[in-house]
Amino acid sequence: MAAKSQIKNQSLPIPKTIIAAARFLQAISPKLAALFAAKLFTTPLKHKIPKREIHIDKESQQSKLYIPSIKKEIVVYQYGTGIKKILLVHGWSGRGTQLVKIADELVALGYTTISFDAPAHGKSSGKTTLMPEFIASILALEKQFGPFEFAIGHSLGGMSVLNAVKQGLKIKKAVIIGSGDIIQDIIDDFIKKLRLKPQIGQLLKSHFEAKTQEDMEDYASHHAAKSVTIPVLIIHDKNDEDVPVKAAHNIQAHIKNSELMVTEGLGHRKILGNDKVLHAINNFLHKQ
């Protein structure tokens, strides 16, 4: 039970005042509640960089990259001096230094890691963003800093890596950790955390699709996975409170060449620094 409660504490809670405001709007108008939820859904939280990431922030070469397709600028981290480069992609409300343990391991093996603060994350400008901007950032980074040997993504970053490969990212292998899958499931989970009625989730998805003129499920990981032919290592914790492990199983069912590693007791974020996970990544990337 102690392990389970520790995992639950990793989840990022929504402030009670936000929940109260959302429920108040729902009582007045479901449409207003959906618009309020849309604003929250596209606005990541920015967190102070923890001590374990300070060294990568200080030692990495940082630059800014403007991405014309989304008209936004991102901050890029180049860490290490190796010739071969590996792309690291953080998740929602993360930052370019978040995969620090993985980066340290790879740099020690002679690689250079390229990571970035996605739009509206970390040191990058802006207040709102969505997955298509993560994908656009990845493709722009490939043009500027590539080619990349491999790509590793966490959570939304994992979804973005799969979609970027679908859209033309050229890499030899990919690793996705705690990746989400079905967009409606992600929205429904968000609406549940706001303690709103399920119909608000349907309104929220319709709102985004009307705004973007796209079917959001086209970005589902299992959908993108159908186009992915490179080897992919899928890592997920069975006690992940943020993204249920069923997402990993569904993604694997749609990828031609994949391996699945299910951990226990690591949750959604501790998994990024676990020694067994780091060892599995190393073995997968270097296996012939």
Side-chain angles (χ1 to χ4, degrees):
M1 292 296 292
K4 182 111 179 177
S5 63
Q6 188 178 30
I7 291 164
K8 282 186 177 180
N9 288 338
Q10 291 185 61
S11 239
L12 301 176
I14 296 176
K16 291 180 180 179
T17 52
I18 298 294
I19 292 172
R23 288 172 64 84
F24 173 74
L25 289 172
Q26 177 180 249
I28 297 173
S29 163
K31 186 177 179 181
L32 282 177
L35 290 174
F36 181 67
K39 180 68 173 176
L40 295 175
F41 191 79
T42 58
T43 306
L45 299 173
K46 290 193 177 185
H47 303 281
K48 184 179 179 181
I49 184 170
K51 288 182 180 179
R52 64 180 176 273
E53 297 173 26
I54 289 176
H55 73 277
I56 189 174
D57 184 51
K58 288 184 176 179
E59 295 171 23
S60 60
Q61 181 181 333
Q62 298 178 28
S63 58
K64 292 183 178 180
L65 178 64
Y66 180 74
I67 305 167
S69 63
I70 59 174
K71 298 179 181 178
K72 290 186 178 182
E73 190 175 68
I74 59 172
V75 172
V76 183
Y77 302 80
Q78 186 167 336
Y79 183 51
T81 57
I83 295 173
K84 294 183 178 181
K85 299 175 183 177
I86 300 179
L87 177 68
L88 305 180
V89 188
H90 68 77
W92 188 255
S93 292
R95 60 208 156 265
T97 55
Q98 190 171 16
L99 277 66
V100 57
K101 293 293 185 182
I102 296 172
D104 283 341
E105 184 84 4
L106 295 172
V107 168
L109 291 170
Y111 292 98
T112 288
T113 62
I114 302 294
S115 59
F116 64 102
D117 292 335
H121 287 73
K123 300 176 184 178
S124 293
S125 59
K127 294 183 178 179
T128 63
T129 190
L130 275 173
M131 191 191 343
E133 294 188 347
F134 274 65
I135 300 165
S137 298
I138 290 171
L139 297 175
L141 284 164
E142 182 185 33
K143 288 182 179 179
Q144 185 70 23
F145 294 93
F148 300 121
E149 290 283 304
F150 314 116
I152 302 172
H154 174 239
S155 195
L156 181 67
M159 299 181 73
S160 300
V161 166
L162 291 179
N163 275 279
V165 171
K166 176 186 173 184
Q167 294 186 26
L169 173 68
K170 303 296 183 187
I171 50 176
K172 294 177 181 176
K173 293 182 180 181
V175 180
I176 61 172
I177 307 168
S179 176
D181 180 22
I182 299 170
I183 306 300
Q184 189 65 64
D185 285 352
I186 295 169
I187 289 175
D188 289 346
D189 179 66
F190 176 70
I191 292 301
K192 187 176 180 181
K193 286 177 180 175
L194 281 174
R195 299 181 196 171
L196 298 176
K197 295 176 182 177
Q199 76 172 106
I200 305 300
Q202 297 290 339
L203 289 172
L204 179 57
K205 186 165 181 275
S206 296
H207 165 76
F208 285 130
E209 290 180 339
K211 191 173 182 179
T212 63
Q213 295 296 300
E214 289 184 292
D215 182 347
M216 288 188 75
E217 292 303 344
D218 284 346
Y219 291 97
S221 291
H222 78 273
H223 186 79
K226 296 173 186 177
S227 304
V228 177
T229 57
I230 60 168
V232 178
L233 174 61
I234 304 162
I235 306 175
H236 213 110
D237 194 82
K238 78 174 192 176
N239 305 116
D240 192 323
E241 292 282 330
D242 288 33
V243 183
V245 70
K246 69 175 184 178
H249 290 289
N250 196 40
I251 295 167
Q252 188 190 31
H254 290 83
I255 285 187
K256 295 179 178 70
N257 186 358
S258 67
E259 296 178 25
L260 175 62
M261 176 185 183
V262 177
T263 61
E264 186 171 0
L266 298 176
H268 193 63
R269 292 173 186 81
K270 282 190 175 181
I271 197 169
L272 295 174
N274 179 261
D275 287 340
K276 288 183 179 179
V277 170
L278 296 176
H279 185 68
I281 293 172
N282 185 13
N283 281 347
F284 173 76
L285 295 181
H286 296 98
K287 182 170 61 179
Q288 296 299 321

